[in-house]
């Protein structure tokens, strides 16, 4: 007796399908909004820290060469981890790696505010850079993954909007906090929105390994 031909079943699992497969049109926008918060937060924080740099130099008695390491150490640390983003995302899962990077960034933002010397501030900035470096590339990756090919231009426009508006707002907020409160508040200002962003990532993003 002949058996009917079996209909192949679609494969499922962490290594198959992309974010778009798991996200309908409404969920797609939730994912986009979630990653845009962190994609906006990191460049805003960086610009605000640069605005607060002269006050840091005064408080810790740093000369210009020493103060430049507050910015340079972050950039170098972030650049070092970028080549490993694909491997780490595939090993841990993109959401897990994204949360770890955000957590490292937010935690060391708070520790920068508690720094007691120039060297301690630079050390915390290195750790902050290790967390902040992957955020922008992964934000772009998530946006390009959840939007279909005909909307990739829209996704990149959203990414560019966050990357542009973050530094603009960071200059204003950083200048105000430095002038009327303290440079330490510039570091603390990313903690609350960063924690909110971590919670949203855990709630909204699937943990794929594509």
């Amino acid at each position: 007796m002949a058996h009917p031909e079996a209909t192949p079943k679609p494969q499922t699992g962490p290594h198959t399908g992309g974010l778009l497969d798991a996200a309908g049109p409404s969920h797609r926008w939730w994912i986009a909004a979630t990653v845009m918060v962190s994609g906006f937060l990191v460049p805003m924080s960086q610009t605000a820290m640069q605005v607060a740099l002269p006050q840091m130099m005064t408080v810790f008695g740093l000369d210009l060469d020493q103060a430049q390491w507050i910015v340079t150490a972050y950039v170098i640390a972030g650049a070092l981890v970028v080549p490993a983003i694909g491997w780490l995302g595939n090993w841990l899962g993109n959401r897990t790696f994204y949360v770890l990077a955000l957590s490292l960034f937010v935690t060391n933002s708070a520790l920068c505010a508690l720094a007691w010397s120039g060297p301690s501030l630079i050390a915390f900035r290195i750790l902050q850079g290790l967390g902040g470096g992957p955020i922008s590339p992964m934000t772009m990756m998530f946006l390009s993954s959840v939007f279909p090919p005909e909307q990739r231009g829209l996704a990149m426009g959203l990414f560019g909007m966050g990357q542009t508006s973050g530094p603009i707002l960071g200059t204003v907020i950083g200048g105000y906090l430095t002038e009327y409160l303290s440079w330490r508040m510039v570091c603390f200002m990313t903690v609350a929105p960063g924690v909110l962003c971590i919670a949203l990532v855990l709630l909204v993003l699937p943990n794929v390994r594509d």
Side-chain angles (χ1 to χ4, degrees):
M1 180 177 178
H3 293 281
E5 184 177 352
T7 303
K9 296 181 180 179
Q11 296 181 352
T12 58
H15 294 278
T16 62
L19 289 176
L20 187 58
D21 298 326
S26 60
H27 195 195
R28 181 184 305 154
W29 286 104
W30 275 104
I31 292 174
T34 298
V35 298
M36 280 295 296
V37 172
S38 58
F40 167 86
L41 187 64
V42 171
M44 182 187 72
S45 171
Q46 284 308 102
T47 307
M49 287 290 287
Q50 293 176 23
V51 173
L53 196 59
Q55 193 175 101
M56 298 176 192
M57 294 173 62
T58 302
V59 170
F60 293 127
L62 304 176
D63 58 34
L64 185 59
D65 290 335
Q66 293 170 323
Q68 286 178 340
W69 277 104
I70 298 175
V71 176
T72 305
Y74 177 97
V75 174
I76 293 175
L80 287 175
V81 76
V82 167
I85 288 176
W87 179 78
L88 290 170
N90 189 57
W91 177 45
L92 299 171
N94 288 324
R95 183 187 65 187
T96 300
F97 179 46
Y98 202 60
V99 168
L100 288 175
L102 276 172
S103 300
L104 191 61
F105 177 82
V106 172
T107 300
N108 284 282
S109 294
L111 290 175
C112 284
L114 302 175
W116 56 89
S117 65
S120 67
L121 178 59
I122 293 171
F124 293 139
R125 287 285 287 168
I126 292 173
L127 295 174
Q128 188 187 27
L130 292 176
I135 299 300
S136 290
M138 293 198 71
T139 298
M140 185 164 55
M141 180 274 295
F142 279 119
L143 287 172
S144 63
S145 297
V146 299
F147 285 95
E150 63 272 15
Q151 292 183 329
R152 295 281 165 80
L154 173 62
M156 293 303 99
L158 291 173
F159 176 76
M161 182 175 65
Q163 294 294 300
T164 303
S165 57
I168 294 173
L169 190 58
T171 301
V172 176
I173 296 177
Y176 180 86
L177 292 176
T178 303
E179 180 70 22
Y180 295 102
L181 294 174
S182 168
W183 68 268
R184 296 183 187 273
M185 294 305 299
V186 172
C187 303
F188 275 132
M189 77 174 184
T190 60
V191 175
V195 171
L196 174 62
C197 187
I198 291 170
L200 287 173
V201 168
L202 291 172
L203 288 173
V204 174
L205 267 63
N207 197 32
V208 298
R209 287 182 169 85
D210 291 325

